[in-house]
Amino acid sequence: MEKRPNDTIEMLRAEFANARKTAIVGHLHPDGDCISSCLALYHYLKDNYGYEADVYLEPYPSVFDMLPDTAVIRHTVKPEVYDVVYSLDCADLDRIGAGKELFDSAKKRVMIDHHISNPIFGDVNYVKGEIGSACEVLYTLFEEDKINYNVAMCLYTGMVHDTGVFQYSNVTPDTLTRAAKLIAFGIPFTDLIQKTFYEKSFNETRASAYAISKAAQLLDGFFVWSYMETKEMERFHITSAELDSVVSELRNIRGVDTAVFLYEIESGVWKCSFRSNHVVNVSELAVSFGGGGHVRASGCTFYHKKPDEIITEIVNRIPKEDYAGRAL
Ligand SMILES: [Mn+2]
């Protein structure tokens, strides 16, 4: 599909104000920004324009049930034709999880996102690759005097998750100003951060430590990676979604630029997460393997390969000038 420029804020606001049969969908393996952005839009439409959108998401970690009205989220899709379907936080069409067919069959498809690799796939499109979270993009689309407590809780949570609690380089002075205005609603921001971002189960903590203990360095420590097989996850009684923090921990190692973590999601199928600190553009790297994401955080999937074969392919695609002078 040919890439075309963004539509205007006014066009998006006109869509919000137009009450019709509406659904909201997010991406596979919903994360904090995805769940929060879908719920933020749900509350914004309901509380300001009086219509309830149907929200469709794949199952997600139960910690997010502290967000308002998660009971409205549906995991199974009834085939229906919607007047409008919003896709939030989806880097491309294939990333849409539950509700993909609803998006495809919608009379109008509205796409709101912040992934720089997004190919632009809606009828109405709003992508801001320079903004740190889909929730922050929504903040810029919402009219400030229409944001309420529930909307604030959702927007804040998404911003926290995609900025690593306002730490990553995608944070701007505007991000913090917006976060400050959201806190002013009296939302429980300490609990939102602790319970949805930092807190881990006992099994998750032990599994993460195990995955980190298997880490290996390449390129004189510029590159670090680890992996976890399905049978290992079973041994720790965890799912791949509970290992999300591992790749960030690997990136924290002194001297590392690029970190890779491979999760075996089924026999021979590996989900690959990339993170980088300053040098390697991991969005380009993931795109070159059929995935996508951001400059400092991205992902893709590998089929029918072994972890060390995958890592060799990845390292071979890192531009030589990025790690000049470092030995394999
Ligand atoms: Mn996001």
Side-chain angles (χ1 to χ4, degrees), residues 27 31-34 37 88-90 113-115 131-135 158 161-162 294:
H27 59 71
D31 60 10
D33 186 35
C34 172
S37 58
L88 293 178
D89 201 31
C90 297
D113 186 36
H114 72 121
H115 292 87
I131 290 186
S133 57
C135 278
H161 275 259
D162 267 21
H294 311 286

Side-chain angles (χ1 to χ4, degrees), residues 107-318:
K107 292 180 193 158
K108 188 179 262 182
R109 299 165 305 162
V110 181
M111 196 270 294
I112 300 171
D113 186 36
H114 72 121
H115 292 87
I116 198 145
S117 58
N118 190 304
I120 310 290
F121 54 82
D123 303 313
V124 176
N125 299 287
Y126 199 80
V127 182
K128 290 284 169 188
E130 70 282 10
I131 290 186
S133 57
C135 278
E136 193 179 346
V137 175
L138 279 182
Y139 188 113
T140 67
L141 292 172
F142 290 171
E143 292 170 68
E144 277 194 349
D145 61 356
K146 291 190 164 72
I147 293 176
N148 60 20
Y149 180 91
N150 282 344
V151 174
M153 221 166 123
C154 298
L155 292 181
Y156 187 82
T157 302
M159 286 164 67
V160 160
H161 275 259
D162 267 21
T163 60
V165 196
F166 305 108
Q167 184 204 340
Y168 302 154
S169 56
N170 58 15
V171 172
T172 65
D174 282 341
T175 311
L176 296 178
T177 305
R178 289 163 184 151
K181 290 181 182 171
L182 296 173
I183 284 180
F185 283 92
I187 59 172
F189 61 91
T190 308
D191 270 3
L192 285 172
I193 294 172
Q194 175 61 18
K195 295 201 183 304
T196 72
F197 192 85
Y198 287 117
E199 206 171 272
K200 287 197 191 86
S201 72
F202 184 63
N203 286 339
E204 220 174 321
T205 306
R206 291 178 65 244
S208 303
Y210 170 76
I212 292 164
S213 76
K214 297 202 303 177
Q217 292 179 299
L218 290 169
L219 303 174
D220 282 344
F222 179 87
F223 183 96
V224 66
W225 71 285
S226 188
Y227 69 100
M228 194 110 154
E229 296 173 0
T230 330
K231 61 175 190 277
E232 295 170 307
M233 291 183 228
E234 283 164 7
R235 200 188 330 137
F236 284 101
H237 306 290
I238 55 145
T239 62
S240 61
E242 293 170 287
L243 290 169
D244 278 352
S245 61
V246 171
V247 72
S248 314
E249 293 285 339
L250 295 176
R251 179 172 60 173
N252 283 338
I253 297 169
R254 189 168 296 127
V256 163
D257 178 72
T258 309
V260 169
F261 187 60
L262 301 170
Y263 328 61
E264 191 181 31
I265 48 181
E266 56 186 89
S267 181
V269 180
W270 294 87
K271 186 181 153 207
C272 174
S273 287
F274 296 95
R275 295 289 183 278
S276 71
N277 279 316
H278 305 290
V279 185
V280 173
N281 181 333
V282 292
S283 171
E284 285 176 7
L285 201 52
V287 167
S288 81
F289 289 108
H294 311 286
V295 176
R296 300 279 163 248
S298 65
C300 64
T301 307
F302 290 92
Y303 300 89
H304 311 303
K305 289 203 169 82
K306 295 198 172 70
D308 50 345
E309 295 168 346
I310 295 170
I311 293 302
T312 303
E313 280 193 37
I314 291 171
V315 169
N316 284 338
R317 284 207 201 166
I318 296 178

Side-chain angles (χ1 to χ4, degrees), residues 69-132:
D69 295 333
T70 51
V72 303
I73 296 173
R74 304 165 187 212
H75 301 305
T76 37
V77 174
K78 273 194 291 172
E80 282 181 79
V81 177
Y82 283 86
D83 294 319
V84 57
V85 177
Y86 289 91
S87 151
L88 293 178
D89 201 31
C90 297
D92 62 56
L93 200 49
D94 293 331
R95 280 285 289 161
I96 300 180
K100 178 167 186 310
E101 54 270 48
L102 300 180
F103 185 81
D104 289 338
S105 66
K107 292 180 193 158
K108 188 179 262 182
R109 299 165 305 162
V110 181
M111 196 270 294
I112 300 171
D113 186 36
H114 72 121
H115 292 87
I116 198 145
S117 58
N118 190 304
I120 310 290
F121 54 82
D123 303 313
V124 176
N125 299 287
Y126 199 80
V127 182
K128 290 284 169 188
E130 70 282 10
I131 290 186

